[in-house]
């Protein structure tokens, strides 16, 4: 479930959308099953495997015969996974519920496992905005919006923010502040170039997740 740029603010944004902080890292899918936990990239390749306390994710985990699937951000620097959303937890198909319930469920499980939460010490990459009524669906969806911190001023008209929310400089000469439109255009161009480059490169033999 991937976000789109939040360039048009929904009319019910203030009452029916929920913000989730997204730390700097790589988007990952965690699959815990058969007493082992695997981390998959967005392209389906398995990055790593390890034992965990997630249901199904390790020999010492509760409900080791079940399966857990989580949408996460992996921070390479701290070797930490940050859970954004829950698709399945043990025998419960959480993805079939609206986001508001999924978020409540996930927070409850985090408290049970006594896991750390995102704090001011974490480097924030951006802000995710979930529609409370959104079900979990694969791929891009307009029901999740994404903003870089500096875009909050322009898109949501929020003022009196910390210095880190000021826009970066833009252009080859970096002589003016980047607007949201400029940043998105440059970002999309870089992503498109990376996609073309990856298509032209041979597969590296990593394990690919079965569909």
């Amino acid at each position: 479930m991937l976000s789109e740029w939040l360039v048009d603010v929904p009319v019910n944004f203030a009452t029916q959308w929920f913000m989730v902080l997204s730390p700097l890292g790589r988007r990952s899918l965690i699959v815990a099953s058969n007493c082992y936990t695997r981390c998959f990239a967005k392209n389906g390749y398995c990055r790593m495997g390890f034992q965990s306390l997630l249901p199904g994710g390790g020999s010492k985990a509760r409900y080791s015969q079940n399966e857990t699937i989580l949408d996460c951000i992996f921070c390479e620097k701290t070797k930490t996974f940050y859970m954004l959303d829950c698709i399945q937890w043990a025998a419960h198909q959480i993805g079939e519920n609206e986001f508001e319930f999924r978020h409540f469920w996930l927070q409850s499980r985090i408290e049970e496992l006594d896991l750390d939460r995102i704090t001011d010490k974490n480097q924030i990459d951006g802000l995710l905005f979930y529609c409370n009524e959104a079900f979990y669906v694969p791929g891009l969806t307009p029901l999740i919006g994404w903003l870089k911190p500096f875009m909050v001023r322009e898109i949501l008209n929020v003022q009196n923010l910390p210095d880190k929310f000021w826009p970066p400089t833009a252009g080859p000469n970096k002589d003016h502040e980047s607007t949201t439109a400029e940043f998105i255009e440059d970002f999309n161009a870089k992503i498109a170039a990376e996609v073309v480059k990856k298509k032209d490169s041979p597969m590296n033999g990593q394990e690919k997740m079965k569909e």
Side-chain angles (χ1 to χ4, degrees), residues 137-188:
V137 294
L140 289 169
T141 172
L143 297 179
I144 303 180
W146 166 257
L147 291 177
K148 286 289 189 177
F150 78 88
M151 297 177 180
V152 171
R153 293 175 181 268
E154 181 180 346
I155 300 298
L156 301 182
N157 194 28
V158 178
Q159 306 301 321
N160 300 321
L161 294 171
D163 291 342
K164 64 181 179 180
F165 283 82
W166 283 103
T169 53
N173 299 322
K174 297 186 180 299
D175 56 356
H176 69 284
E177 293 179 348
S178 173
T179 65
T180 296
E182 287 176 325
F183 184 93
I184 292 176
E185 182 179 359
D186 291 342
F187 179 88
N188 290 341

Side-chain angles (χ1 to χ4, degrees), residues 8-39:
D8 297 314
V9 180
V11 293
N12 62 350
F13 185 77
T15 58
Q16 296 298 317
W17 290 69
F18 189 90
M19 187 195 77
V20 176
L21 293 175
S22 179
L24 185 64
R26 294 183 177 182
R27 195 66 173 268
S28 304
L29 188 71
I30 292 295
V31 179
S33 63
N34 298 319
C35 296
Y36 200 63
T37 304
R38 293 175 175 83
C39 169

